[in-house]
Amino acid sequence: MAKPLPFDDVEMNERAESEPALLVDVDGFEGPLDLLLELARRQKVDLHRISILALAEQYIAFIEAARRMRLELAADYLVMAAWLAYLKSRLLLPEPPKGEEPSAEDLASALALRLRRLEAIREAAKRMGERAWLGRDVFARGAPEPVIINRDSHYEASLYDLLKAYAVQRQMRFNARVSLHKRNVWSLVEAREALERLVGHLGDWVTLDTYLVEYMVEPAMRPTVLASALSATLEMVREGKLTMRQDEAFAPVWVKPVADPAEAGV
Amino acid sequence: MLPDMQDEAPEIMEEDAPEVSQGPDHVPDHGEAMRIAEALLFASAAPLSVEDLGGRLPEGADVDKILQDLAELYAMRGVNLVKVAGKWTFRTASDLSFVLARDVVEQRKLSRAAMETLAIIAYHQPVTRAEIEEIRGVATSKGTIDLLLETSWIRLRGRRKAPGRPVTYGTTPAFLEHFGLDAIEDLPGLEELKGAGFIDGRVPSDFSVPLPSDADALREDEDPLDDDLLQPLDMHQTEAGEE
Amino acid sequence: MLPDMQDEAPEIMEEDAPEVSQGPDHVPDHGEAMRIAEALLFASAAPLSVEDLGGRLPEGADVDKILQDLAELYAMRGVNLVKVAGKWTFRTASDLSFVLARDVVEQRKLSRAAMETLAIIAYHQPVTRAEIEEIRGVATSKGTIDLLLETSWIRLRGRRKAPGRPVTYGTTPAFLEHFGLDAIEDLPGLEELKGAGFIDGRVPSDFSVPLPSDADALREDEDPLDDDLLQPLDMHQTEAGEE
């Protein structure tokens, strides 16, 4: 498209009726078909009896006038002009023997049909525009009243669910009672992790027992905590991270982090 | 025949006495049902279907008769009961627009091109952009279709089973509501357009002139929209590329 | 019915043809002014004052009379013209407000905790919250009891004659109805639960399933609820304080 035609509202109605001669200006037209329709209206005859030949001549004359005035025309208009020039020559020449091509008369009536269709839809659009539009001519209730929604919860539960919940619940409790006590063990891994965490916070000698108090809230845990902690400490001493000492048998075990791994030793 | 309605049952001793219908089976009072329908229609922000109303009116109410009577009752009033897009609603009488027009928030006026395009879509649906352009004899700007989609009066229906699988357009219930139409068949001048050979140039020789249809069901020559093209933006980009 | 859309005005030649009101300058009769007022009141988003209407009605219209006549016209209808805060508006007739209410029933499933609590209340009633907790081995949230009270399947029965006088819970007739039980004694006992496969494996010798009773009469160890504690809220606050 060389030049898009203006699409916004153009007051077409005033233009058509008042002008004695069509000004050479395509700006007001919605394409070549619209221009043709306007030219056809100027023949002041029913579109069914329109002279396509006369129309073609008028259109071509209009386009030529526009070109003389060096008006820039969209390609659509020129294509239509070329086609109409062809149609005009076909209409003026005697019909060639029946060939494959449609006859000039067929082409002319097809163009007339297109014009009638455009005219018809124009009329339809006009009538639609004249209808009572909602929000322009007719109005809905300005203040609709809301529907109040009462929510009512209805709970689903079957007797099966109820009995199952009860049985499972009760059974879980008596099963729990007959099961063996799980042995609580402070594993070596846990002991090692706990000690590694402690090491960073210590400055001086401390008794190992001090650290372990928090793990020994349950008396039953005491042996496993002591055993695992001692093993983990020994391992860390071997790695040079801790120093440990015990003053005598059964005395508290003292530990101290090694500031410089080179000092490591028992 | 109506069953014998005995309001005051005589003391029937016989075992086989016909039971007097009572309570919920009782045919509801027509006037009362009309009042309820009136209240519902007045209160609602959107038009109500016969089914919507039926579900809210007393059991056994004759919804069609109620609507007919209400429409008659209001026919000469400043507010009318009208049917739009198959549903019922109250609207101000169309002859009173001159008093009410002052309330209008300045509406964007449709351009002639947009109005024509809308008319072609309405009368010719399902229709492709190429068909719209053929009728108007001019390229349709992307803006026109976008603007109409924005009004929610038109929608993408599907794709024509034809080379290029172009998108088909049709109108929406909002279109009917806006123009005060009960159904698309009520478009003004439809018969004349049919006579003018407008609907439709593509008609095959069997001469079954199809009327416009805004039914949700796709026509035989339509395919559903592909999921990835439900985005209008993509669709237009594609089309723009073809120009 | 659609208002008659006359696309082409019939050529009225009669001088005395009933004139449709023509623009603001035309002084219409009282009936026409009523129609206009009706349309204005219908379309307005807010109630209109006498002054608002006066400014929109034809010159010389008797606004008070118009409003009075309209109010009368609508007095028995489903919609009434009413005056609120000094301004006029249409409102659903007050006796029909129920038609604007819609009941929505939401199907909800009981949580496992609620189901277990309900089962324990059913079997062990009258039972206190502390007893429920002892059987379940976990604390029962206030929400669970509230939810069960909401289902109306459980009720507050009384107070246990024990330190702290805790509230006792029991089931209701609605419970029986919902679970299809003729009487609470129909809840299966231990042997039946075992037979149905709900309980399997070794059952300790001291394990028992109580024979439930939902009799209204209070047990010996129950006191009536005090009046001031019939409010579930108060009751729960008290209980919460004990925790």
Side-chain angles (χ1 to χ4, degrees):
Chain A
M1 300 249 40
K3 177 186 169 200
L5 288 161
F7 128 87
D8 265 315
D9 199 22
V10 179
E11 292 304 324
M12 294 291 289
N13 299 338
E14 312 166 11
R15 164 178 61 74
E17 273 90 336
S18 56
E19 289 165 337
L22 200 58
L23 290 177
V24 179
D25 177 7
V26 291
D27 273 355
F29 292 100
E30 296 266 354
L33 212 56
D34 186 33
L35 173 55
L36 268 173
L37 188 59
E38 179 54 32
L39 291 168
R41 283 211 191 95
R42 297 172 74 83
Q43 290 192 10
K44 295 204 193 301
V45 291
D46 189 298
L47 270 183
H48 286 274
R49 289 183 288 129
I50 198 86
S51 162
I52 293 295
L53 183 60
L55 198 59
E57 281 168 348
Q58 284 170 34
Y59 185 92
I60 291 161
F62 177 90
I63 295 298
E64 277 168 359
R67 290 173 87 178
R68 273 199 303 280
M69 293 173 69
R70 298 180 181 280
L71 284 180
E72 204 182 318
L73 288 171
D76 279 357
Y77 289 87
L78 301 175
V79 169
M80 177 63 86
W83 190 82
L84 287 172
Y86 163 76
L87 180 61
K88 181 184 155 190
S89 67
R90 286 279 307 270
L91 286 168
L92 291 173
L93 293 169
E95 273 299 302
K98 198 99 181 126
E100 302 244 317
E101 278 186 60
S103 71
E105 284 303 325
D106 290 346
L107 293 173
S109 59
L111 178 62
L113 177 68
R114 284 189 75 188
L115 290 174
R116 284 203 303 277
R117 281 205 324 211
L118 183 61
E119 170 120 285
I121 202 67
R122 289 264 158 92
E123 182 58 25
K126 196 168 141 251
R127 289 171 80 166
M128 268 173 55
E130 285 164 357
R131 284 193 69 85
W133 288 24
L134 178 63
R136 187 188 72 181
D137 306 302
V138 298
F139 296 84
R141 177 83 190 264
E145 292 168 65
V147 170
I148 301 138
I149 293 177
N150 301 324
R151 287 193 190 286
D152 184 17
S153 292
H154 184 263
Y155 290 93
E156 276 178 79
S158 67
L159 186 60
Y160 175 83
D161 294 333
L162 183 80
L163 298 178
K164 190 157 167 273
Y166 184 70
V168 166
Q169 177 59 35
R170 295 293 312 274
Q171 200 167 13
M172 205 164 71
R173 297 287 284 164
F174 71 62
N175 283 346
R177 246 177 286 147
V178 297
S179 70
L180 291 170
H181 274 294
K182 192 170 171 273
R183 278 189 63 190
N184 288 319
V185 173
W186 203 44
S187 72
L188 266 177
V189 177
E190 285 175 285
R192 167 88 197 223
E193 283 172 357
L195 284 171
E196 279 181 351
R197 277 198 299 278
L198 282 171
V199 167
H201 298 290
L202 298 175
D204 206 352
W205 291 100
V206 208
T207 56
L208 184 65
D209 298 4
T210 312
Y211 303 139
L212 300 176
V213 163
E214 68 171 300
Y215 295 101
M216 289 189 262
V217 279
E218 278 183 68
M221 289 285 281
R222 195 184 164 93
T224 172
V225 168
L226 279 179
S228 294
L230 186 62
S231 301
T233 308
L234 289 171
E235 196 174 279
M236 287 171 77
V237 168
R238 189 171 57 80
E239 290 169 11
K241 290 177 179 157
L242 282 180
T243 311
M244 68 186 292
R245 70 184 164 85
Q246 189 178 30
D247 295 341
E248 56 178 317
F250 305 110
V253 175
W254 292 82
V255 294
K256 183 184 172 231
V258 175
D260 175 5
E263 286 177 30
V266 178
Chain B
M1 247 198 298
L2 279 168
D4 218 351
M5 291 296 295
Q6 289 170 297
D7 283 334
E8 275 161 65
E11 284 176 51
I12 298 167
M13 286 296 148
E14 293 88 350
E15 288 293 287
D16 57 351
E19 259 194 272
V20 181
S21 94
Q22 297 220 334
D25 293 329
H26 184 76
V27 176
D29 182 66
H30 185 66
E32 193 59 13
M34 263 176 81
R35 290 183 72 232
I36 294 173
E38 197 174 19
L40 288 169
L41 288 160
F42 236 83
S44 176
L48 298 175
S49 69
V50 170
E51 291 71 34
D52 292 336
L53 284 164
R56 314 280 296 277
L57 290 173
E59 199 81 25
D62 183 346
V63 185
D64 289 321
K65 178 87 174 84
I66 287 165
L67 287 166
Q68 194 189 315
D69 289 355
L70 272 179
E72 243 166 68
L73 185 71
Y74 278 92
M76 303 307 290
R77 304 232 46 85
V79 171
N80 305 142
L81 183 60
V82 299
K83 198 176 179 192
V84 289
K87 299 180 173 195
W88 293 83
T89 187
F90 278 111
R91 292 276 190 261
T92 58
S94 55
D95 66 307
L96 296 179
S97 67
F98 72 94
V99 238
L100 295 158
R102 265 180 272 178
D103 289 341
V104 186
V105 187
E106 199 47 55
Q107 273 194 339
R108 192 175 163 182
K109 214 177 147 197
L110 279 192
S111 69
R112 202 177 75 149
M115 201 61 211
E116 272 179 28
T117 304
L118 177 62
I120 293 168
I121 292 171
Y123 285 83
H124 210 269
Q125 61 186 306
V127 65
T128 67
R129 185 155 149 179
E131 288 157 7
I132 295 167
E133 292 180 351
E134 201 226 310
I135 292 164
R136 298 192 59 233
V138 71
T140 302
S141 87
K142 178 182 171 298
T144 305
I145 299 266
D146 280 351
L147 183 91
L148 291 173
L149 283 168
E150 211 179 283
T151 61
S152 75
W153 294 338
I154 70 164
R155 65 188 178 97
L156 312 183
R157 285 177 52 90
R159 288 184 171 280
R160 177 68 46 75
K161 284 178 186 165
R165 304 184 68 242
V167 168
T168 52
Y169 296 93
T171 56
T172 62
F175 168 83
L176 296 176
E177 210 179 304
H178 188 88
F179 289 92
L181 297 164
D182 183 17
I184 202 72
E185 291 79 16
D186 295 340
L187 278 169
L190 205 54
E191 283 306 310
E192 293 147 54
L193 278 161
K194 246 170 87 178
F198 171 69
I199 308 164
D200 132 10
R202 298 173 291 112
V203 199
S205 51
D206 61 11
F207 211 74
S208 63
V209 177
L211 283 170
S213 160
D214 59 354
D216 280 339
L218 295 175
R219 289 240 174 121
E220 261 185 37
D221 62 353
E222 280 179 298
D223 275 339
L225 286 168
D226 316 319
D227 283 339
D228 62 327
L229 287 174
L230 275 171
Q231 299 292 328
L233 188 65
D234 293 348
M235 185 271 305
H236 282 300
Q237 279 175 341
T238 311
E239 285 207 356
E242 290 163 8
E243 280 169 47
Chain C
M1 243 182 300
L2 281 168
D4 213 354
M5 291 298 300
Q6 287 171 300
D7 289 318
E8 279 158 61
E11 289 175 46
I12 299 170
M13 288 293 150
E14 295 87 346
E15 286 294 287
D16 58 349
E19 252 194 280
V20 186
S21 93
Q22 308 218 330
D25 291 330
H26 180 79
V27 177
D29 55 19
H30 185 65
E32 190 62 9
M34 266 176 79
R35 290 183 73 233
I36 295 171
E38 200 174 18
L40 286 168
L41 287 160
F42 171 85
S44 172
L48 296 176
S49 67
V50 171
E51 291 71 36
D52 293 334
L53 282 163
R56 311 286 296 277
L57 289 171
E59 201 78 31
D62 183 346
V63 185
D64 288 320
K65 178 87 174 79
I66 286 165
L67 286 167
Q68 195 189 315
D69 288 355
L70 271 180
E72 236 168 75
L73 183 72
Y74 279 93
M76 303 307 290
R77 304 233 46 85
V79 170
N80 304 147
L81 183 59
V82 296
K83 198 173 177 185
V84 284
K87 298 184 172 193
W88 294 83
T89 188
F90 280 116
R91 281 287 153 79
T92 304
S94 53
D95 67 312
L96 293 180
S97 57
F98 72 92
V99 303
L100 293 184
R102 197 171 290 192
D103 295 327
V104 176
V105 176
E106 286 175 322
Q107 291 287 336
R108 290 173 64 180
K109 245 183 128 58
L110 281 190
S111 68
R112 208 183 80 155
M115 204 65 212
E116 283 176 12
T117 305
L118 177 64
I120 289 164
I121 292 172
Y123 272 97
H124 295 256
Q125 62 186 304
V127 65
T128 67
R129 184 157 148 181
E131 287 158 4
I132 296 167
E133 292 181 352
E134 203 210 309
I135 295 166
R136 290 189 64 220
V138 287
T140 302
S141 84
K142 176 181 170 300
T144 305
I145 300 271
D146 282 349
L147 185 97
L148 289 173
L149 284 167
E150 198 188 298
T151 63
S152 74
W153 292 336
I154 69 164
R155 64 188 178 99
L156 314 183
R157 285 178 50 91
R159 289 188 170 278
R160 177 67 46 77
K161 286 177 185 166
R165 303 184 67 245
V167 168
T168 52
Y169 296 94
T171 56
T172 62
F175 170 86
L176 296 178
E177 208 176 301
H178 183 91
F179 290 96
L181 295 166
D182 187 23
I184 199 73
E185 293 78 13
D186 290 349
L187 278 176
L190 179 58
E191 288 312 310
E192 289 161 288
L193 286 173
K194 272 160 79 175
F198 285 109
I199 290 177
D200 52 15
R202 288 180 300 120
V203 177
S205 56
D206 62 343
F207 183 83
S208 70
V209 169
L211 180 66
S213 159
D214 59 357
D216 277 342
L218 294 175
R219 293 239 176 124
E220 264 185 31
D221 62 353
E222 279 178 297
D223 274 339
L225 284 169
D226 319 319
D227 282 340
D228 63 327
L229 287 173
L230 276 173
Q231 300 293 329
L233 188 65
D234 294 347
M235 184 272 302
H236 282 301
Q237 278 176 339
T238 311
E239 284 207 346
E242 291 165 6
E243 279 166 352

